Amino acid sequence: MQFIVEDVVTHLAVKVTEPRIDAAIATPFKDKLREIVVKSRKPIHLDMASVDFMDSSGLGAMIAVRKSLPQNLGMVLCALTPNVERVFRLTRMDSVFDIRPLTAQKEHRE
Amino acid sequence: MTPIERSEPKRSTRASAQVQPMFHRVLSAQPETVRDTLQDVRRRFQGEVSDDTLGRLELVLAEVMNNVAEHAPAGAGAPDDSVRLPVIHLCIVRHTNGLACALTDDGVSLPDECILPRSLPALVMDDLPEGGFGWFLIQDLTQALCYYRESQRNYLAFSIPFAQSGAA
């Protein structure tokens, strides 16, 4: 499992490369991502553009990672695909995470 | 070759008027096999139903089948083969208004609370729930959900509507 991590001025940009966050990989996904974010002193921006599918175990992993973040550091989810966005919306977790388009310049307002 | 008319199964004219795509698979309940099956389901119905319907179907099937895998007997699937994994039978047929799904498995019995109407786990910001979403999603995305258990098997049937009522 791979994450592409880039330290930019304002935040830590983490790109998820897994196409599916499901029951088959939820636990290693959670452990690996948590390892990356707990050391960060900046807010995390997670690029989710490559993730085509996420189920409730994947959602549980995302919530666990968010809970492990140091105090006052936010977690921004960028570029959710429709299948992933649906899970956040239906479970009302879109109110817990900061969900945004990939870049502020490229806004896709509905 | 001379066609043998007798061997042709007799179809009612209504059923033969429209051939509907379907999918049938028998699989062992483990996350990797579930994942492969879901990708085959996607390939089977891609272009036949909308991406939105396909997305809802895939999510519901993932939740149902991964639940069976998650509640498999301890030690099932180990190399020594002493404890058998539950076996899932999955069948999906496209109907006029949606995808009719039937799943059976020989895993543990489903607790009543899964099928009873349920709401989301409480959203406590300081201690967010990390689970308990699966059956909420299944109930939210399906219609005519029904369940019974007979001779050591669970039977679950539901429909994934093409258009979600009340959804934006």
Side-chain angles (χ1 to χ4, degrees):
Chain A
M1 187 172 323
Q2 260 202 320
F3 295 95
I4 300 167
V5 184
E6 193 186 350
D7 197 341
V8 288
V9 182
T10 51
H11 59 268
L12 191 72
V14 181
K15 180 163 178 60
V16 182
T17 60
E18 285 290 330
R20 300 174 74 86
I21 312 175
D22 59 13
I25 64 148
T27 304
F29 176 89
K30 175 176 69 184
D31 294 343
K32 187 100 187 271
L33 186 55
R34 190 152 49 187
E35 221 173 272
I36 295 167
V37 305
V38 290
K39 291 179 285 192
S40 176
R41 295 174 179 278
K42 296 174 181 177
I44 311 295
H45 284 209
L46 210 55
D47 178 355
M48 302 279 287
S50 302
V51 185
D52 297 325
F53 179 79
M54 182 183 81
D55 63 15
S56 69
S57 54
L59 177 71
M62 300 288 288
I63 295 167
V65 171
R66 192 199 174 280
K67 283 162 77 172
S68 71
L69 274 179
Q71 275 187 330
N72 308 323
L73 284 191
M75 187 158 151
V76 181
L77 302 182
C78 310
L80 298 188
T81 60
N83 284 338
V84 176
E85 185 272 337
R86 174 187 294 113
V87 177
F88 282 99
R89 175 166 42 85
L90 294 178
T91 58
R92 311 277 187 270
M93 280 293 153
D94 53 352
S95 64
V96 170
F97 289 87
D98 186 352
I99 296 175
R100 300 182 197 170
L102 189 54
T103 59
Q105 289 92 331
K106 268 195 268 173
E107 284 193 35
H108 297 286
R109 289 276 162 82
E110 283 174 6
Chain B
M1 287 269 248
T2 321
I4 305 164
E5 249 175 72
R6 244 185 344 193
S7 73
E8 197 70 26
K10 236 193 169 137
R11 293 182 188 167
S12 80
T13 42
R14 248 204 324 218
S16 61
Q18 219 176 359
V19 179
Q20 298 286 9
M22 63 180 292
F23 181 95
H24 184 244
R25 174 79 46 98
V26 178
L27 63 140
S28 61
Q30 48 187 341
E32 294 75 18
T33 320
V34 169
R35 176 189 270 204
D36 293 344
T37 302
L38 291 173
Q39 284 171 321
D40 289 342
V41 168
R42 175 163 284 278
R43 273 189 285 274
R44 181 68 188 90
F45 289 99
Q46 205 138 43
E48 303 280 354
V49 302
S50 71
D51 285 348
D52 182 70
T53 303
L54 207 48
R56 285 180 278 120
L57 172 73
E58 189 173 7
L59 181 56
V60 170
L61 293 179
E63 299 299 339
V64 172
M65 295 195 288
N66 282 324
N67 272 332
V68 180
E70 195 186 329
H71 296 104
D80 68 349
D81 233 15
S82 54
V83 188
R84 204 176 54 76
L85 281 165
V87 174
I88 302 170
H89 291 234
L90 164 67
C91 186
I92 311 160
V93 183
R94 191 178 71 178
H95 283 191
T96 321
N97 299 315
L99 295 161
C101 304
L103 292 112
T104 83
D105 68 82
D106 55 359
V108 294
S109 183
L110 210 58
D112 284 343
E113 58 260 36
C114 295
I115 294 301
L116 294 172
R118 60 195 284 138
S119 45
L120 280 169
L123 256 185
V124 184
M125 289 307 282
D126 291 338
D127 187 21
L128 291 168
E130 291 172 33
F133 301 109
W135 276 100
F136 171 81
L137 289 170
I138 295 167
Q139 292 191 4
D140 199 56
L141 293 171
T142 59
Q143 286 179 355
L145 179 67
C146 62
Y147 167 76
Y148 65 93
R149 185 173 173 90
E150 199 176 274
S151 340
Q152 308 300 310
R153 290 195 78 82
N154 298 306
Y155 292 80
L156 192 68
F158 51 83
S159 172
I160 305 288
F162 288 143
Q164 221 180 355
S165 55

